[in-house]
């Protein structure tokens, strides 16, 4: 499976992400990688590629609640049979919210 090339540095994190889409309603799952361009959400029931979602989460040690929109660019179901975690790669589509997140990620250094 090929993944889109990344423009932003990623961080390994453990962040609870609340998200909603037209398909799922509200869910809370764990994000394990995060960057200014998107994140990976571990899920036993990942959404299909192209699904739109609204997310909110807080970075470790931060008081700011990030609310950001995105779309699924790839997903891996539990039955795909490889050793990687099931879930979905989400690309952020809200540039303003992405810029705020990028600033906060830099502050973590």
């Amino acid at each position: 499976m090929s993944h889109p090339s990344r423009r932003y540095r990623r961080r390994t994190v453990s962040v609870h992400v609340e998200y909603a889409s037209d398909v799922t309603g509200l869910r809370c799952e764990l994000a394990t990688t995060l960057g200014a361009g998107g994140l990976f959400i571990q899920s036993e029931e990942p959404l299909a590629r192209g699904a739109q979602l609204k997310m909110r989460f807080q970075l470790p040690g931060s008081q700011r609640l990030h609310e950001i929109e995105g779309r699924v660019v790839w997903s891996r179901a539990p039955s795909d049979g490889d050793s990687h975690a099931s879930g979905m790669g989400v690309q952020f589509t809200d540039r303003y919210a992405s810029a705020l997140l990028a600033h906060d990620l830099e502050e973590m250094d």
Side-chain angles (χ1 to χ4, degrees):
M1 172 186 299
S2 69
H3 300 286
S5 60
R6 294 179 178 94
R7 296 186 326 186
Y8 303 99
R9 187 173 112 198
R10 293 179 301 158
R11 294 179 178 272
T12 300
V13 295
S14 182
V15 174
H16 289 280
V17 178
E18 287 184 350
Y19 66 93
S21 76
D22 291 341
V23 176
T24 64
L26 185 63
R27 285 189 183 172
C28 185
E29 309 259 16
L30 190 65
T32 57
T33 57
L34 173 65
L39 50 69
F40 173 73
I41 300 174
Q42 283 187 323
S43 177
E44 293 297 313
E45 298 176 23
L47 298 173
R49 185 176 179 200
Q52 303 287 321
L53 52 152
K54 294 181 180 184
M55 299 160 280
R56 64 182 181 181
F57 56 88
Q58 284 181 284
L59 297 178
S62 173
Q63 296 300 314
R64 185 191 316 254
L65 180 64
H66 289 276
E67 296 184 281
I68 191 164
E69 295 182 12
R71 68 179 163 81
V72 177
V73 292
W74 60 269
S75 68
R76 182 174 33 240
S79 61
D80 285 351
D82 62 24
S83 61
H84 295 94
S86 61
M88 54 195 161
V90 179
Q91 180 179 44
F92 299 138
T93 56
D94 181 332
R95 290 184 185 204
Y96 178 74
S98 293
L100 287 175
L101 177 60
H103 177 266
D104 285 359
L105 287 169
E106 289 301 318
E107 293 293 314
M108 288 178 67
D109 286 336

